[in-house]
Amino acid sequence: MNHTKIVKEEMKKRTNNKGYLFALQFSVVYFMIGAFGILLWDYLVAHLFNNAITSYKEWFFLAFTSIIIFYIAWRFIYWDRTYITVLLKNRQKLQLFARVFEQLQEGLVITDENQRITNVNKAFEEITGFTEKDVLGKPLSSIKTGVEKKENFQQIWNTVNKEGSWSGEFINQKKNGRLYPEKLSLTKISNCHGNKTNFIGVFSDITEERNAKGKIDFLTYHDPITHLPRRALFLMITGKMLNSTYI
């Protein structure tokens, strides 16, 4: 859904009855000011010139212009004021989203419908080593690792296009050439017509998580002081051997 459609829908919510009430109040104030002017003029003419004038043309003109003022107030003044209010509200939301975008600890990359990078956050630069200038306008595939097979990435994109999202882990490569395990989530963004407009990728370097898991596994099967195997390791290996023998 594009920005213009969001603004229009928000304006419709705000202009159901409030717009007519605003226009009515605006036109009533106009009518009262006009009526006061007509009565004051008649009073001055009657007392200063001793000539009482009773004319309905002014009142007809005032009533007619009040109807026009009602339409102008509803169609233009209230709608323009509402439009500006909605724009300011959406601007505040965009500023909030921009701050969240920059403060995320996970790397975040946004592409267009052709998978060309349009935005990245600071965490992206810190994790991959690539700056925004390095990758802006380039295909997302240009920063993928050469370790994974091309068919695997094609399968990932097929899943994203078909199901709308994909998440998993694979080995990626930093700008300096160092390999690292990466946890990635890809999501397809579509507009109100169902056409894809963007892709959003959120990823993190899970090297420390993998190292922590490796330490836990080691301490599970080895003594923390002597580093000698525990009984649990013997039972696990024995179980695997028995299973392979039966198979």
Side-chain angles (χ1 to χ4, degrees):
M1 184 178 292
N2 56 38
H3 178 69
T4 304
K5 189 173 182 64
I6 293 174
V7 171
K8 287 183 178 180
E9 289 187 354
E10 185 66 23
M11 288 178 65
K12 286 180 181 179
K13 294 178 183 178
R14 293 169 174 259
T15 55
N16 289 334
N17 297 316
K18 291 181 179 180
Y20 295 111
L21 181 61
F22 172 83
L24 180 62
Q25 292 173 344
F26 197 90
S27 57
V28 166
V29 171
Y30 168 80
F31 184 86
M32 291 176 64
I33 294 174
F36 177 77
I38 294 174
L39 293 174
L40 180 62
W41 176 254
D42 290 345
Y43 175 82
L44 291 176
V45 170
H47 286 76
L48 295 178
F49 301 100
N50 295 320
N51 184 15
I53 300 176
T54 303
S55 176
Y56 296 100
K57 292 182 180 180
E58 293 86 353
W59 292 100
F60 176 79
F61 178 80
L62 179 62
F64 179 74
T65 53
S66 295
I67 296 174
I68 297 176
I69 290 295
F70 176 87
Y71 177 78
I72 292 174
W74 172 75
R75 182 62 183 83
F76 298 102
I77 299 176
Y78 182 79
W79 274 72
D80 288 347
R81 190 182 72 168
T82 303
Y83 184 76
I84 293 172
T85 302
V86 172
L87 285 179
L88 290 175
K89 183 179 178 181
N90 287 339
R91 183 181 179 184
Q92 292 175 349
K93 287 183 178 180
L94 289 174
Q95 289 175 342
L96 177 61
F97 293 155
R99 295 191 66 179
V100 173
F101 180 82
E102 289 298 328
Q103 296 300 322
L104 276 176
Q105 299 297 315
E106 291 82 9
L108 197 150
V109 55
I110 301 175
T111 75
D112 59 16
E113 68 276 13
N114 298 317
Q115 301 174 17
R116 292 190 174 275
I117 299 173
T118 59
N119 298 91
V120 297
N121 65 348
K122 290 182 180 179
F124 173 93
E125 298 179 348
E126 294 172 357
I127 294 173
T128 65
F130 291 98
T131 64
E132 185 177 33
K133 186 178 179 180
D134 292 333
V135 299
L136 206 61
K138 294 182 179 180
L140 188 58
S141 58
S142 65
I143 59 170
K144 68 180 178 62
T145 176
V147 176
E148 297 287 343
K149 294 182 180 179
K150 184 178 180 180
E151 293 77 9
N152 294 342
F153 286 101
Q154 188 60 48
Q155 186 177 0
I156 290 173
W157 282 112
N158 290 339
T159 302
V160 174
N161 286 313
K162 183 178 179 181
E163 301 181 5
S165 63
W166 177 91
S167 61
E169 299 178 4
F170 62 94
I171 303 299
N172 210 335
Q173 191 173 22
K174 297 179 182 287
K175 185 179 180 180
N176 60 13
R178 188 172 72 84
L179 300 178
Y180 70 100
E182 179 180 287
K183 187 175 183 179
L184 172 67
S185 294
L186 283 172
T187 304
K188 179 177 69 173
I189 305 299
S190 302
N191 59 19
C192 57
H193 302 294
N195 300 321
K196 62 182 180 183
T197 58
N198 300 92
F199 294 96
I200 298 179
V202 181
F203 65 95
S204 58
D205 184 346
I206 56 173
T207 300
E208 293 184 2
E209 182 180 331
R210 288 282 183 88
N211 290 339
K213 186 177 183 301
K215 290 180 180 179
I216 292 173
D217 291 340
F218 181 83
L219 292 176
T220 301
Y221 300 109
H222 296 79
D223 186 271
I225 299 176
T226 63
H227 292 179
L228 294 175
R230 291 178 181 268
R231 180 170 174 269
L233 179 62
F234 171 76
L235 294 175
M236 182 189 70
I237 296 174
T238 304
K240 288 183 177 180
M241 293 177 63
L242 291 174
N243 290 334
S244 61
T245 301
Y246 285 119
I247 291 173

